Amino acid sequence: MTSPQDPGNPANTDPEATSAEAAEAAAAEAASADGVVDDATTNTAEAQADAATANTAEAEAAVEDAARDITDEAAAGEDTVAEDSLEAQLAERTEDLQRLNAEYTNYRRRTERDRQAVIETTKAKVLADFLPILDDLELARQHGDLNEGPLKAIADKLTGVLTNNQLTPFGAEGDAFDPEVHEAVQDLSTGDEQVIGTVLRRGYTVGERVVRTAMVIIADPAESADAADGPDSPDNAD
């Protein structure tokens, strides 16, 4: 068989050989294309995996932050509740202390008042025991037995001691009649105005307490004035 004069001419090329080479070239291009596609697919998958990993990390971080915020809020709420509870307990204890202090103050005042009442009552009873002695001394004075001598000195000392203890006599002729402190044994008055005409027994007080009422005879004001200016009165004595 004779070789063609121009082997490079496509017309002179073997069709079978040419087809095989074309097939191999197409297979190489397909393989190359598949490699590119595989690389692109791999790169895309890796990118998606990286993005998913990043999103997962961000989600986990957000969950941790939210959990931390919830924990902090819960702790702050517990602190607020504890602080409110302490303030409520403090207010309650303060109120109890103030009430106890007020009760103690009232108790102390009541005790002091009761103690003073007991002292005044006992004092009045003791001083009342001296009143019969004072009545006898008054009668002796009216008879002139206390003008001088030892009895006058004793009477003056006793009267001074009793006066220092707030024993005060009341009830004199001409004073207005008061049924609260005067005991009337006879009423000689004729009008609405009544005064003491005669004192039969003097009354006494200790402070503001009446330890004995005065025994008197009631008269009219004119009669009382006449009795005071009568011949036996001190102003008409020689």
Side-chain angles (χ1 to χ4, degrees):
M1 183 174 184
T2 304
S3 300
Q5 297 296 321
D6 188 3
N9 189 352
N12 296 323
T13 303
D14 187 0
E16 295 180 359
T18 303
S19 299
E21 291 176 356
E24 291 179 357
E29 290 179 359
S32 177
D34 291 340
V36 172
V37 171
D38 292 339
D39 291 340
T41 303
T42 301
N43 293 334
T44 302
E46 291 178 353
Q48 293 177 351
D50 293 340
T53 301
N55 293 333
T56 302
E58 291 179 357
E60 291 178 353
V63 171
E64 291 179 356
D65 292 339
R68 189 179 302 108
D69 293 339
I70 294 173
T71 302
D72 294 339
E73 291 178 357
E78 291 178 356
D79 293 340
T80 303
V81 171
E83 184 177 356
D84 293 340
S85 177
L86 289 176
E87 290 180 355
Q89 293 180 3
L90 179 60
E92 182 179 358
R93 296 297 182 270
T94 302
E95 183 178 357
D96 293 340
L97 181 60
Q98 292 175 348
R99 182 170 58 254
L100 181 61
N101 186 40
E103 291 177 355
Y104 173 72
T105 300
N106 293 332
Y107 168 76
R108 184 177 60 185
R109 291 176 180 174
R110 183 172 61 254
T111 302
E112 181 64 20
R113 183 171 59 251
D114 294 342
R115 187 178 71 87
Q116 289 295 330
V118 170
I119 291 175
E120 292 177 359
T121 301
T122 304
K123 181 180 179 180
K125 289 181 178 180
V126 172
L127 294 176
D129 293 337
F130 287 91
L131 298 184
I133 300 176
L134 293 178
D135 293 339
D136 294 339
L137 292 176
E138 182 64 23
L139 291 175
R141 182 178 291 106
Q142 292 176 3
H143 289 84
D145 296 336
L146 296 182
N147 293 332
E148 57 183 357
L151 185 59
K152 179 180 182 303
I154 294 173
D156 291 342
K157 289 181 180 179
L158 179 60
T159 302
V161 171
L162 297 178
T163 301
N164 291 335
N165 284 275
Q166 298 182 336
L167 182 66
T168 305
F170 69 89
E173 295 179 357
D175 291 347
F177 175 74
D178 184 358
E180 296 293 332
V181 295
H182 298 144
E183 180 183 353
V185 296
Q186 189 175 5
D187 187 0
L188 301 178
S189 64
T190 58
D192 295 335
E193 186 177 0
Q194 296 176 330
V195 298
I196 298 174
T198 304
V199 179
L200 303 178
R201 186 188 67 186
R202 303 180 74 179
Y204 288 90
T205 60
V206 177
E208 297 181 356
R209 181 192 298 268
V210 177
V211 295
R212 191 178 74 179
T213 59
M215 185 179 296
V216 299
I217 297 176
I218 303 174
D220 291 327
E223 294 179 1
S224 176
D226 293 340
D229 295 336
D232 295 334
S233 63
D235 294 339
N236 296 328
D238 293 337

